[in-house]
Structure formats: structure tokens, C-alpha cells
Amino acid sequence: MEKKQFQAESKRLLEMMVHSIYSQKEIFLRELISNASDAIDKIYYKALTDENISFNQEDYFIKIVPNKEARTLTIQDTGIGMTKEELEDNLGVIAKSGSLAFKKEIDMQDGQEIIGQFGVGFYSSFMVADKVTVYTRSLYSDEGFKWESDGVEGYTIESYDKPEVGTEIVIQLKENADEENYDEFLDDYQLQNLIKKYSDFIRYPIKMDLTEKHPQEDNEEEMVEVTEEKTINSMVPIWRKNKQELNDEDYEGFYQEKRFGFDKPLSHLHISVDGMVRFQSILYIPEQLPFNYYSQDFEKGLELYSNGVLIMDKCADLLPDHFSFIRGIVDSEDLSLNISREILQQDRQVKLIAKNIEKKIKNHLQSMLKNDREKYETFYKTFGRQIKYGVYADFGANKDSLKDLLLFHSSSENKLVSLKEYVERMPEEQEHIYYATGESHERIEKLPQTELVKDKGYEILYFTDEVDEFAIRMLINYDDKDFKNVSSGDLDLEDEETKQEAEKQKEEHKDLLTEMKEILGDKVKDVRLSTRLKSHPVCLSAEGEVSIEMEKVLRQMPDNQNIEATKVLEINNKHDIFNALVHAHESDKEKVKLYTNILYNQALLIEGLPIEDPVALTNDMCKVMV
Ligand code: ADP
Ligand code: MG
């Protein structure tokens, strides 16, 4: 038996490995399985060029064997094995990768399948092990060897009689300590989970002997234990399969298997890109909102694989916020990984992939809107708000690419319409795109401000989502048509004659209007005769940047309590109440005050704004009655 010390640098590296490179202990299994897969791949690549080597797929597998009594976990493979020199080189020197050398030797192209490259993965086993023993025999040697190390001082090597080519790694698990439990690596169920999580798409079968209880054949009451060797991994990732070979059920199955949601996916996309950066991806639009979607703990992101091996559970950088509801996976052979293979070295590739994905999702939604309107509307009812946030967010950076995905309820169509549809059927003389805001369609229908616009025969978009108006303000216009809130002060829809008549009336009732304004003080900027009201007595309109609906939204946010719309009280001078006002103005100042206050409060109510002093209002109303 030969005893060897690790080199000084190796010792330090080993310390570091065990304590800081990996964020999770369970990663060790992924690393050892990756090595086993690499070892089998090497025979496969050799066989391609050496006719003396045969490669029968059935002979190659990886086996995981836990032993609870001995507290060992064995990872066995039928790969290429190691000679004594290779053992010393590859396992005796940390950060030396036999696999990297192999790739260079056979001059593999970029995008190779072999996973190893850093020469540190093996040592991750010391995160969970007191001792690691490697039994191996190389394809090129008649002799087998046993390598053993406690991971601290050094290792031993001795001859070992191993009949078959391949490698067996036995991990002596550490004892459980206060917070650390190593027993999970002996548990069949946990091991299966880990294999599924990290190594599901290793191309060779990963097997385990699993014991199940079955009722006995002749006596159903009695249970017998049956042990069977089972393959745990699915091997060929669904995203590597040909789209033509897959049907909706396959995609749904994968969605469920991955636990992307408890619902069914509404739609999926399968992408394979062979450009500046190569990647495959399967993306899903869920049917339902993830249960924690609007809570703090929701995390967006896609699963990221490098060559079929899971690197990240949720890579957030792959998805823009406005598509944060998308679930799915990305697999790329072009990622540069850091040494722990957990984080990306640089995000250039991820940025390229993310950009590509964003475009693909957008196009997918656009074609859904065009070809399957019903489905799109289902999508939009659930996730439309996110698209609107997308238009608004980042100072409108994405507004142009998202604007054609927007839908709003239309007054004339009584269904959701796109901005394009709205603009296409605008009458020639109509200059603006009109919208009205409110809590519900029913409430907006009753808004006095919509009367004139509707009378003109113009379509109005109903905004019931808080974000709607913010998004539209960010857009400013669509197809060169400005958006106009029907409640804004300057609707500018009246013909010349009406305008002149209005001017005349204004002059005539100047005193009354000034008096009303004085009664209301700072609550309104002005009191005016309305040109838009038809049957309603009063309404509020807003001047300037902040609309009344926006004021409502902003007030709910902690920092914006003081933001208010500049309000104007509009009075309908064709309504009977106006005559009453004029009459009161001539005879009874108290009545003017009473009426003005009631009318102002009515306008607030119609807008859905809070009444400042409900008691005063009810008292005023009683005064009118008696
Ligand atoms: P990497 O896989 O990045 O090269 P590792 O530390 O995981 O680094 O492994 C170091 C080297 O040890 C590998 O490159 C390979 O040459 C050798 N090796 C590890 N495990 C096995 C195995 N099961 N069969 C054959 N060779 C192995
Ligand atoms: Mg490795």
C-alpha cells in the first residue's frame, strides 16, 4: 500500500471545497453521477474511432446503492475506469481534470457532452463523507486499484482485484451532528428525489434497487417485500426530442412532473435555437395565477440546465418582469459556469438567451391573439395586468413591444378589443382614443362624463384596473392618436355654435359660478358650466397630469398621500337643478351654499371618491327636505 500526501495547494483547495464552494451538500451526488456519466461517455467516444471497442447501450449504467447499517453510499459505473497513474493524477491532484484532458486529446468540438472540466467535483463528496474509497479498473488495464482518503492528509493506493472494468465509489457518510443530518443520503426516497432533481437527463440509466410491499398472491392479507432494480432518471430530456414526436399530453405531463403548477398549462412553446448562443427551451403559460404571485415570496425564473444537468432552480435573469408568470426550462451547452457549476461565470450567454426568449414569448402571444382569440382572452384575463405593468415599468422601456398585446373593454363592442382594432374603426373625424375609468363596467356606464362622447358615436375603452391609466399615460399615443380620458377638462368635442352659446351662458352666470367656487374653496380649482353633460346634473373633471382615478390609486400608496387631481366641478345648465341654483342666487344665499355642497358631494360619490364629511352631507340633505 502506498501512502501519499496531498500537495500543499491541494490541501488548501480541499478545505475550501468542503466548506465554501458549494451552497448545498446534496450537490455531491450530482457531481459523482456526472463523473460516472463522463466515464461512460469516454468509452462511447473511444468506440467511435476504435473498432476493438464495442459499445452496447445495455451494458452501460450507473448504480446507486445505500447501505443503512454501514452508513455507506455507493456510486457504481461501468465507465472507462482509471489506471493507477490516472488515479494519482485525477484524484490525487485537486483541480486537475482528466475529463478536460480527454476532451483535448480527442479534439472534441465545443458543445461536447462531457460534463467535467474543473477537476473539483469529486472532492465535493468530502462535504458528506468521513472517508471515500474508490475501486476502479481501467479499460486499458488488467489490474484494479483501490484508492482511499479521509480528505485531510492524503490518500492510499493499493492493488485490488476487480473483475469488471469501471468504477465504484463508496462514501462513508459522516455521523449526524446537531444541525446536520446525513441520513437523507441513505434514504431511497430522498435519493430518488435528488437523482430526479439534478441528474434526470443523464443519458445512461441511473439504477437503484427499490423494495416495495405487495400483497401476497394466494393470501391478499399478507404483504411481501419485493426488491426490483429500477431506473430512476428519464434520460432523454423532453426538450431534446423532436417537436413532431410530442403531443399536448407529453408537454402537460412534463409540466406536472416538474410541478410548475397544479393547473394545466394554457399553452406551451418548444424552442430550439442554433444561433449566437445555442439552447433548447420549453416554456409554459400557466392557466391560473400562481397562488403566491402577488406576494413577496414569489420568485420568477426558469430552470437552467447545462448539457442536461441542472444548474439553477430559478434563473431570474432569463425572464423579464412582464413575463414573470412563465414557467419552464432552458438547457444550453454554451454556458460558462463557475467552478461549483452552480453559478454562471458571466451572463453574456444568459442575456442573449433571455432576449431571445422574450421575443419568442411575445410572438407566441401575438399569434395566439391573432389565431386563437378565445384562448388569448383567457390568458389576458389572468395575466393581462402583468402586460400592463410591463408597459408602465422602467419608464416605458418596453411599451412599444408590448402595446399590441393590450386589450380593453369597449363600450360599443361590449367585449375586449385591442388598440389596433379600436383605431381601425375610428370615424374619420375622431381625433382621440377615448377611455373612462372606474371600478366596474357598470359604474363607468353610469358616469355622466361618457355621455357626450357616446352621443358622438365614439367608442370608449373602459379601464377598471388600477394600472390601466398609468400604462396608457406611458404610451401617450397609439398610431399617432392621443389617449383622452372622458373626464379630462378639455374634451374639445363641441361644435362652434355650442361653444359660442356656452361662452354666452358663462358670461351670464359668472357671479353664480364665482360664488360657488368661493363656497367650495380649495376643494376645486373651478366651477364651470358643462358642455358634456346631457342628463346628469354634475360631474367632476380633472385638469393636468393626475386624473381622478390616478389620485385614488396613488392615495393608497404610502408615499403619495398628498397627490391630488386638480378637480373642476361641472354643472349642467340644461338640468332643472340649475334653474333652482339661479333662483337661489337671486334670493337666498344660504340655499346656494346648501345646494353647492350637496352637488359637490354628489359628484364625489359618482366618481367613487370618499365624502369628506358624511354627517354634514346628510344634514344638508335633510335641510332640503324640510
Ligand atoms: P471534473 O469532472 O471536472 O474533471 P472531478 O473532480 O469531478 O473533476 O473529477 C476529476 C477527474 O477524475 C475526472 O476528470 C476524471 O478524469 C476522473 N474521474 C472521476 N470520477 C471518475 C469515474 N467515475 N470514472 C472515471 N474517471 C473518473
Ligand atoms: Mg466531475
Side-chain angles (χ1 to χ4, degrees), residues 179-219:
E179 307 248 301
E180 310 287 354
N181 184 349
Y182 299 95
D183 285 352
E184 60 176 310
F185 304 121
L186 294 168
D187 181 77
D188 282 352
Y189 180 73
Q190 299 282 11
L191 287 168
Q192 287 180 74
N193 279 345
L194 289 179
I195 294 168
K196 274 283 193 200
K197 179 172 175 190
Y198 292 107
S199 314
D200 202 26
F201 308 115
I202 291 291
R203 285 170 304 144
Y204 306 102
I206 303 171
K207 298 181 185 181
M208 280 180 78
D209 290 330
L210 296 178
T211 305
E212 276 176 33
K213 284 199 174 116
H214 291 290
Q216 219 165 25
E217 255 175 49
D218 45 357
N219 180 358

Side-chain angles (χ1 to χ4, degrees), residues 31 34-35 38 116-117 121-122 341:
E31 291 301 321
S34 299
N35 285 351
D38 282 351
Q117 55 175 328
F122 172 77
R341 303 206 280 133

Side-chain angles (χ1 to χ4, degrees), residues 43 46-55 60 139-140:
I43 295 197
K46 288 285 183 191
L48 290 179
T49 51
D50 186 342
E51 54 196 31
N52 295 319
I53 302 172
S54 64
F55 191 87
Y60 296 96
L139 180 66
Y140 301 105

Side-chain angles (χ1 to χ4, degrees), residues 31 35-36 38-39 42 77 80-82 90-91 96-99 116-123 167 169:
E31 291 301 321
N35 285 351
D38 282 351
K42 285 174 194 169
D77 70 65
I80 199 161
M82 281 175 274
N90 298 333
L91 303 188
K96 182 149 179 187
S97 169
S99 293
Q117 55 175 328
F118 296 118
V120 294
F122 172 77
Y123 301 95
T167 303
I169 297 179

Side-chain angles (χ1 to χ4, degrees), residues 363-498:
N363 292 346
H364 182 78
L365 288 172
Q366 216 125 47
S367 81
M368 196 196 287
L369 173 60
K370 201 166 147 219
N371 304 318
D372 192 348
R373 178 71 172 229
E374 205 179 317
K375 198 175 202 178
Y376 186 81
E377 288 190 13
T378 309
F379 155 78
Y380 195 79
K381 277 171 193 148
T382 314
F383 297 110
R385 178 178 290 179
Q386 209 54 27
I387 307 288
K388 295 173 198 167
Y389 278 122
V391 168
Y392 171 68
D394 298 328
F395 303 101
N398 299 300
K399 61 181 185 179
D400 285 325
S401 88
L402 294 176
K403 63 185 176 194
D404 283 315
L405 294 176
L406 296 172
L407 296 181
F408 296 103
H409 185 91
S410 147
S411 62
S412 55
E413 300 290 305
N414 200 21
K415 61 173 196 201
L416 290 168
V417 301
S418 71
L419 295 174
K420 188 154 174 263
E421 289 162 346
Y422 181 105
V423 168
E424 273 169 6
R425 57 173 168 255
M426 269 168 70
E428 215 176 301
E429 80 283 358
Q430 184 181 341
E431 286 175 33
H432 309 292
I433 300 172
Y434 293 100
Y435 66 87
T437 55
E439 238 160 70
S440 63
H441 297 161
E442 295 70 37
R443 278 204 86 149
I444 298 177
E445 294 269 314
K446 295 193 184 108
L447 273 182
Q449 293 93 327
T450 61
E451 286 186 320
L452 178 63
V453 184
K454 277 189 190 158
D455 261 19
K456 282 265 179 189
Y458 298 162
E459 187 173 1
I460 302 173
L461 299 175
Y462 288 1
F463 289 1
T464 47
D465 235 347
E466 286 179 354
V467 65
D468 286 342
E469 195 170 13
F470 290 89
I472 264 352
R473 293 271 174 123
M474 193 55 84
L475 267 183
I476 304 169
N477 57 38
Y478 181 90
D479 204 11
D480 290 335
K481 308 280 190 292
D482 288 348
F483 291 96
K484 213 163 203 55
N485 189 333
V486 296
S487 303
S488 64
D490 56 339
L491 268 188
D492 200 21
L493 278 176
E494 312 76 25
D495 50 45
E496 267 317 300
E497 205 178 317
T498 322

Side-chain angles (χ1 to χ4, degrees), residues 449 487-490 513 517 520-533 538-544 546 548 551 565-571 599-600 603-604 607 609:
Q449 293 93 327
S487 303
S488 64
D490 56 339
L513 296 172
K517 158 70 183 128
L520 292 172
D522 287 344
K523 291 175 196 162
V524 296
K525 188 193 164 205
D526 202 3
V527 178
R528 283 181 206 151
L529 295 181
S530 179
T531 47
R532 79 180 93 198
L533 290 172
V538 279
C539 74
L540 280 175
S541 64
E543 271 185 0
V546 184
I548 289 165
E551 171 183 321
T566 314
K567 301 181 195 82
V568 172
L569 183 68
E570 296 193 16
I571 309 281
L599 285 170
Y600 169 69
L604 287 178
E607 286 297 336
L609 287 168

